[in-house]
Amino acid sequence: MASNKTFDFKQNIAGALADKQLRSNFKNATDTLRGKRLAVFTDPEETLRLRHVGNQIKRAGLNRLPELLEQLEAKCKENGIIVHWAETVDEANNIVLSIMEQHGAHKMVKGKSMVSEEMHLNKFLEDKGKLPLETDLGEYIIQLNNEPPSHIIVPAVHKNRKQIGQIFADNIPGVSYTEDTAELLAIARGRLREHYRTADIGLSGVNFAIAESGTLCLVENEGNGRMCTAVPPVHVALMGLEKVVGTLEEVPALYRLLCGSATGQRITTYFNMIKGPRKPGEKDGPKEVHLIILDNGRSKILADKQLRQTLQCIRCGTCLNHCPVYTRIGGHAYGSTYPGPIGEILMPQIEGLDKKGNLATASSLCNACEEVCPVMIPIPALIRRLRDESYDMDENGVVKGHGCKKNLLETVIWKAWKYMQVYPLLNTIMLKKLQLFGNKLPKVGPLKAWTSVRTAPKFARQSLKDLAKKEGIRNE
């Protein structure tokens, strides 16, 4: 979903919670996805060992990221792939547009790519008079209905088959309503087949880019990714700069973790390894391949030793499926390309705490996301870090928009609390005041908001310190 000035997280949450059908759809879908994951990762010790391997591969890759990216660029060029660097989404969008214009292209078929969602590429191209067409089934459904994805892996997870049947009937000329899934699949396949054949450009994401060989790996189940990358004469691949790995030997562990965590599969139906354009004498494949490597704030995230762990993400979406908040409000409530726990730590860093810092409040800090993360990202710790930076009491923040929630009242309260802990006499005086008047504080301002969803604590007549002294406990 495009970021905008009218983003109101509270209102979005209220709307989602009031939608019983939405909540039912999400419950059914996420229950299924969690069950599939459990059916694949049956051995806790082996799963933990594999997660440690994935964690080490990603951490090592991030530690060598500049070197690996340069190696990837060199190898891709050797393979005949044209490499582009984009610092911002605007640059990336304009690179895609320039490639299309160089080839006089109008129609683009797209495989699934979260980076393209991050760029809001479809809207950009449509505004320029181009025709981007999603071919992943979930993406195809929500494009028909003019919606953004609500899940990283399952974009139309918020729709049931009846709703999808109605979307097809309303938006595809000549199609009657049906809720038969086989019929719906056949309709989508029939419509998309012709587009593959007539598209000028094919676009895909990249799950892993291997630096040592300049190979782009694409994981998928529907075959649309292979069609998008092999049938049109030009292929454009989009990747965030953190997707690079050093060697082919590192891919199987990450692939195993990705498949098992995302869809509960040991392997996906298709695993594409793209190493360049069609060679002389070959009968198929694109004649030209471009790779666009997007930064969009990732370099700044990389510079912080704690926050860089955000970039370990392999976009499996399992943290969403296990989040008690996401499973109840769904993806659209987050108003962001990346919803759920990973969105709570990634979007505020990309767009700024002043714009998306509220996402970090959508967590109970139950640790479920960290317990299932295949590459062991400490998501709750990063959420706490972003919450701290929103107030930036120590003025050491590094994330864009840090200190956006800082206000005079809370600053004074925390300063007073600090001095109470430093000076015993002040501590004694303040405790006495709170014992006398604390329970009579008017519920206004921040206290009103805080107590609207919580029971206000009652101040005891005697402090713990006084009770300990009264009981004769020494060294209290």
Side-chain angles (χ1 to χ4, degrees):
M1 178 178 287
S3 300
N4 54 64
K5 293 180 181 177
T6 60
F7 172 63
D8 187 333
F9 198 25
K10 281 189 176 180
Q11 189 177 52
N12 291 353
I13 291 171
L17 291 176
D19 190 334
K20 292 182 180 178
Q21 184 63 65
L22 181 77
R23 295 185 62 182
S24 173
N25 292 348
F26 268 101
K27 184 179 186 308
N28 292 335
T30 53
D31 283 355
T32 301
L33 289 167
R34 288 199 302 272
K36 285 184 175 181
R37 177 186 175 276
L38 278 177
V40 170
F41 294 125
T42 55
D43 185 335
E45 289 186 9
E46 172 60 18
T47 302
L48 183 60
R49 187 199 66 78
L50 188 60
R51 291 173 67 215
H52 274 292
V53 171
N55 174 272
Q56 291 303 309
I57 291 172
K58 292 301 294 184
R59 287 169 67 94
L62 292 175
N63 288 338
R64 300 174 53 217
L65 192 57
E67 172 194 341
L68 292 180
L69 286 169
E70 288 181 4
Q71 186 181 9
L72 175 69
E73 180 185 28
K75 288 295 179 182
C76 283
K77 286 181 175 177
E78 283 181 20
N79 297 339
I81 298 175
I82 302 167
V83 180
H84 308 264
W85 298 88
E87 184 176 353
T88 65
V89 294
D90 289 339
E91 289 183 15
N93 280 329
N94 281 305
I95 291 170
V96 175
L97 179 63
S98 68
I99 294 169
M100 293 190 76
E101 290 181 338
Q102 287 168 18
H103 292 274
H106 173 66
K107 184 192 293 185
M108 168 188 283
V109 284
K110 290 181 63 198
K112 195 170 183 310
S113 162
M114 286 309 296
V115 170
S116 77
E117 300 291 344
E118 189 178 324
M119 294 159 56
H120 309 297
L121 178 63
N122 286 2
K123 184 176 186 310
F124 174 83
L125 291 178
E126 286 166 359
D127 289 346
K128 302 296 181 184
K130 305 300 182 184
L131 180 61
L133 292 167
E134 298 287 352
T135 62
D136 172 89
L137 181 59
E139 295 278 1
Y140 177 68
I141 293 166
I142 59 173
Q143 188 181 32
L144 284 175
N145 211 37
N146 194 29
E147 292 182 75
S150 59
H151 191 286
I152 293 173
I153 295 295
V154 198
V157 68
H158 56 297
K159 300 293 185 188
N160 59 33
R161 57 193 171 91
K162 293 181 179 178
Q163 292 170 316
I164 294 169
Q166 195 60 56
I167 291 171
F168 276 35
D170 291 343
N171 295 281
I172 303 176
V175 170
S176 301
Y177 173 82
T178 178
E179 55 187 67
D180 183 281
T181 52
E183 283 188 44
L184 291 169
L185 282 170
I187 292 167
R189 189 176 291 118
R191 293 298 186 280
L192 290 172
R193 185 71 64 176
E194 180 63 13
H195 289 305
Y196 293 126
R197 192 182 68 78
T198 57
D200 306 300
I201 301 271
L203 183 137
S204 75
V206 176
N207 291 98
F208 314 110
I210 304 172
E212 68 171 356
S213 60
T215 306
L216 310 179
C217 302
L218 184 60
V219 179
E220 51 144 346
N221 275 310
E222 300 175 11
N224 67 305
R226 183 163 296 180
M227 297 288 276
C228 289
T229 59
V231 178
V234 180
H235 170 214
V236 178
L238 297 175
M239 63 173 269
L241 53 77
E242 78 279 15
K243 291 298 182 71
V244 65
V245 297
T247 65
L248 177 62
E249 285 70 26
E250 294 174 337
V251 172
L254 295 176
Y255 179 53
R256 173 86 170 84
L257 286 165
L258 175 61
C259 298
S261 302
T263 52
Q265 295 172 284
R266 295 193 181 280
I267 59 171
T268 48
T269 309
Y270 297 91
F271 183 78
N272 305 286
M273 301 180 74
I274 301 161
K275 208 171 174 181
R278 182 192 308 185
K279 300 291 187 298
E282 293 181 342
K283 294 184 177 179
D284 57 12
K287 296 175 181 174
E288 193 171 300
V289 177
H290 295 258
L291 172 64
I292 301 174
I293 303 174
L294 176 66
D295 186 322
N296 195 27
R298 289 166 171 81
S299 294
K300 190 170 182 182
I301 297 173
L302 181 71
D304 186 282
K305 286 186 178 179
Q306 183 187 24
L307 295 176
R308 72 164 51 175
Q309 295 173 99
T310 309
L311 301 178
Q312 292 172 201
C313 180
I314 57 174
R315 303 288 189 269
C316 68
T318 199
C319 62
L320 281 64
N321 305 334
H322 290 78
C323 174
V325 177
Y326 174 87
T327 54
R328 284 162 178 77
I329 66 174
H332 289 171
Y334 292 80
S336 302
T337 301
Y338 302 99
I342 187 61
E344 291 162 22
I345 59 173
L346 181 57
M347 294 310 301
Q349 295 186 69
I350 290 178
E351 296 193 20
L353 287 164
D354 49 342
K355 294 180 179 176
K356 290 296 171 66
N358 279 349
L359 296 185
T361 65
S363 171
S364 62
L365 300 178
C366 66
N367 280 14
C369 49
E370 182 175 358
E371 290 176 3
V372 297
C373 177
V375 288
M376 307 180 78
I377 301 174
I379 295 176
L382 298 182
I383 288 174
R384 286 193 291 272
R385 165 75 181 276
L386 294 174
R387 289 180 181 181
D388 287 345
E389 290 221 4
S390 292
Y391 290 90
D392 198 15
M393 301 302 287
D394 298 325
E395 300 183 348
N396 294 321
V398 299
V399 180
K400 185 167 62 175
H402 60 88
C404 61
K405 290 186 177 180
K406 191 174 183 179
N407 61 73
L408 180 61
L409 178 61
E410 291 193 38
T411 302
V412 170
I413 290 173
W414 283 111
K415 288 287 184 186
W417 183 85
K418 176 183 176 181
Y419 287 125
M420 280 175 59
Q421 310 311 312
V422 173
Y423 300 106
L425 178 59
L426 185 59
N427 184 280
T428 301
I429 293 172
M430 290 303 295
L431 283 177
K432 292 293 183 188
K433 296 286 186 186
L434 289 172
Q435 287 164 14
L436 290 172
F437 306 111
N439 294 328
K440 299 176 182 176
L441 288 173
K443 293 182 176 57
V444 295
L447 192 58
K448 181 181 180 182
W450 196 82
T451 55
S452 67
V453 290
R454 302 175 182 86
T455 301
K458 290 188 176 181
F459 292 93
R461 290 180 176 277
Q462 289 182 295
S463 69
L464 179 62
K465 186 177 179 181
D466 290 339
L467 287 172
K469 187 180 291 184
K470 189 175 179 180
E471 293 294 328
I473 300 173
R474 301 177 63 184
N475 300 319
E476 65 273 24

